[in-house]
Amino acid sequence: MNKPICQLECLSPPLTKQIIDQLITWWESIFQTNFAWLAPVLAGEEDSFTESTLYLFRQSERIVATSRLAHSCSDERLGCLGEVATDPQFRGRGLASKLCQLAIDDFENRKGQALFLASENPAARILYASLGWKPVTQSNTMAWLRDGLSPDACIADYLQNNSHLPVKITPGGPQY
């Protein structure tokens, strides 16, 4: 018997409350942690700071895989990838790889240079490495870099070439 085909969707905030609630519930079941903090982002409350694109596969109404690209509005060179997840019943089909590659392609097409993600999952880190991601020294962070620099060299270069930027320590938020 043939398996039903998954449909690809690309969504940008603001998302409807229904899809936000569905995504948060799904992510919480996959990651076993609270995702309520992401509701305002998906509702579009951070759009002036970060441009988000959600990539997902569905089978009918069921979410089966996701990834989310967050692209800085203040520095188009920077972005991050998150919420990469696949329903356990759909793993091993390359869905996460396809969604991650779509995010990388979109980031690259927007002239992005350094895309970051954090993962402690060894299997996920192997997937990311197969897509060109490199580990950042002494962290659970990985980076995809357009110009082929090592992540450490990229960070050092960014800090050195942007030393004119004001530095102050404040509580985190989308505007920083």
Side-chain angles (χ1 to χ4, degrees):
M1 178 157 92
N2 292 336
K3 295 179 183 174
I5 296 174
C6 295
Q7 299 294 319
L8 172 66
E9 294 181 42
C10 296
L11 306 172
S12 295
L15 304 181
T16 66
K17 182 175 180 348
Q18 179 182 4
I19 186 68
I20 292 170
D21 291 345
Q22 184 182 16
L23 285 162
I24 288 174
T25 299
W26 188 77
W27 284 324
E28 289 177 345
S29 73
I30 296 289
F31 293 110
Q32 298 297 300
T33 191
N34 186 303
F35 270 81
W37 62 270
L38 194 52
V41 175
L42 299 174
E45 292 180 22
E46 294 187 4
D47 285 357
S48 60
F49 307 110
T50 306
E51 182 180 330
S52 279
T53 305
L54 178 69
Y55 307 87
L56 62 101
F57 277 113
R58 286 188 200 248
Q59 190 179 69
S60 298
E61 292 299 311
R62 179 182 181 182
I63 297 170
V64 298
T66 64
S67 72
R68 185 177 68 89
L69 173 64
H71 199 150
S72 172
C73 292
S74 61
D75 189 339
E76 66 184 15
R77 300 172 295 174
L78 303 176
C80 67
L81 185 69
E83 292 71 58
V84 179
T86 305
D87 183 299
Q89 294 180 349
F90 289 80
R91 291 183 182 154
R93 299 182 191 186
L95 299 177
S97 293
K98 289 175 187 169
L99 294 177
C100 289
Q101 190 61 58
L102 280 170
I104 291 168
D105 292 346
D106 283 353
F107 182 72
E108 191 171 25
N109 288 337
R110 292 185 229 169
K111 309 299 183 227
Q113 295 178 4
L115 189 58
F116 295 91
L117 63 79
S119 178
E120 295 179 9
N121 179 328
R125 290 178 72 85
I126 291 169
L127 163 75
Y128 302 133
S130 75
L131 295 171
W133 295 77
K134 298 175 184 171
V136 175
T137 303
Q138 298 182 344
S139 75
N140 67 352
T141 304
M142 296 182 80
W144 175 91
L145 303 162
R146 174 191 284 268
D147 57 15
L149 285 175
S150 75
D152 298 330
C154 174
I155 292 167
D157 181 63
Y158 180 82
L159 294 174
Q160 181 178 4
N161 290 327
N162 292 289
S163 61
H164 65 281
L165 297 175
V167 176
K168 69 179 185 178
I169 299 172
T170 63
Q175 67 275 24
Y176 303 109

